[in-house]
Amino acid sequence: MRLSQYFMPTLKETPAEAQIVSHRLMLRAGMVRQSSAGIYSWLPLGLRVLKRIEQVVREEQDASGAQEVLMPTIQPADLWRESGRYDDYGKEMLRIKDRHERDMLYGPTNEEQITEIFRSYVRSYRELPKNLYHIQWKFRDEQRPRFGVMRGREFLMKDAYSFDVDEAGARHAYNKMFWAYLRTYQRLGLQAIPMRAATGPIGGNLSHEFIILAETGESSVFCDTEYLKTDFLATPVAYDDVKGLAKAIEGFVARYAATDEQHDEKRFAAEVPDGRRYQGKGIEVGHIFYFGTKYSAPMKALVSDPAGNMVPVHMGSYGIGVSRLAGAIIEASHDKDGIIWPASVSPFDVGLINLKSGDAKVDAVCADLYGKLRQAGKQVLYDDRDERAGAKFADMDLIGLPWQVIVGPKGVAAGKVELKRRATGQREEIPAEALAQHLR
């Protein structure tokens, strides 16, 4: 994509309403535009990031055995009356009426909708287990939306729902999602730590929220730094190995990790050696929860068990804030000049900077590199604008692409280009003809 043709309305000044780093940088980089309080339009650069995050989430859900569906944003109120949540949910739910005066709502979550789908088709334990997920927009009418996409009213969410005949099956479904989440966050360039969360009146201990460490986080977190050393992508665990998966997760969660709401200072001091105690801030980016028959019982989502009895299925729900992750990644990965995108979610792989647009030789080398990089499978943003070099460098640092390729008259004369790694600032000169192979 040529930047002279691309819609990327960057800002030099920080908007007054932006209070945290991710909000400031997303506005300055031209990623989003506020439509109303807590509601944003995603502009081309931001949408590319959103789609790449979404794809990583999708791939890991599919690998775990979950199956993708797509449910509507507008739901009938009668489903929520069946579960008993319609009157209890509060003002965060946007309630509406259609032209026939039927009560409807803009979905804040999808437990009722997915339970209705499941009960319409599944009758026997032989058809289980099932895990259905979708990636869809939600709306919760937050009283004080703030911090940009980190706490908006409309947001993109991956929510999955598992169905099993008994608690043992539901625990395995929970464990599969647990491991899939750890892999997902690592692929997104994040260190996410699962922390026990309150389960409320349902009881049990199967509820975890996933927290990434970031100085600008809202939650205070306390954990053993050993959590940060596990490479989940290199750790072989089979999703159909019930005992092996349970053992891997049990060993992992045995270490101390808690938010301020669950923190026990005495336990922290007793269980974690001095050199391994981490105390700081974090951002919640996901939540998994086993709730048994809370929805299946009142909504009569029943299957026959091995003894022939009709029983309510055991369910769990598993959420990842996809649009929230765009902000969270920036909070965890930025510097004074702008965003530093992990390669897995960057809107483009390479920024190609022409230092002297209009110079025939420089233009020719840039055009050749642009074509070869694209042929090599790289997504390239080519800054061919008639702008001063300083403005081009500032914009590229601001939007945070992993690599910058800098082409100027002196380098062209020597047959070389300058390659800069955004994350470290390291620069090196390499032969122009070797660039595509080097970036592989």
Side-chain angles (χ1 to χ4, degrees), residues 240-258:
D240 57 357
D241 181 358
V242 177
K243 291 182 179 179
L245 184 57
K247 184 177 180 181
I249 290 174
E250 285 168 7
F252 185 69
V253 300
R255 304 186 190 108
Y256 189 92

Side-chain angles (χ1 to χ4, degrees), residues 352-407:
L352 176 60
I353 304 174
N354 184 332
L355 292 182
K356 197 170 183 181
S357 295
D359 182 294
K361 292 182 179 179
V362 177
D363 288 350
V365 171
C366 284
D368 182 61
L369 291 174
Y370 182 52
K372 288 179 177 177
L373 287 170
R374 295 175 73 194
Q375 288 176 0
K378 299 295 181 184
Q379 296 287 324
V380 184
L381 182 62
Y382 173 24
D383 193 345
D384 61 337
R385 299 173 301 169
D386 184 17
E387 286 278 358
R388 58 185 179 84
K392 294 186 175 187
F393 290 143
D395 280 347
M396 280 296 176
D397 282 345
L398 172 63
I399 66 174
L401 309 183
W403 296 99
Q404 297 174 18
V405 176
I406 303 160
V407 184

Side-chain angles (χ1 to χ4, degrees), residues 94-126:
L94 181 61
R95 295 166 170 85
I96 56 179
K97 288 182 181 291
D98 66 12
R99 64 168 61 197
H100 302 291
E101 293 299 307
R102 290 176 295 217
D103 290 326
M104 310 290 284
L105 58 98
Y106 194 122
T109 183
N110 280 75
E111 283 82 1
E112 285 82 1
Q113 187 80 64
I114 198 68
T115 302
E116 191 279 329
I117 292 171
F118 175 87
R119 75 182 179 186
S120 298
Y121 299 106
V122 181
R123 297 286 183 269
S124 170
Y125 75 95
R126 293 186 178 90

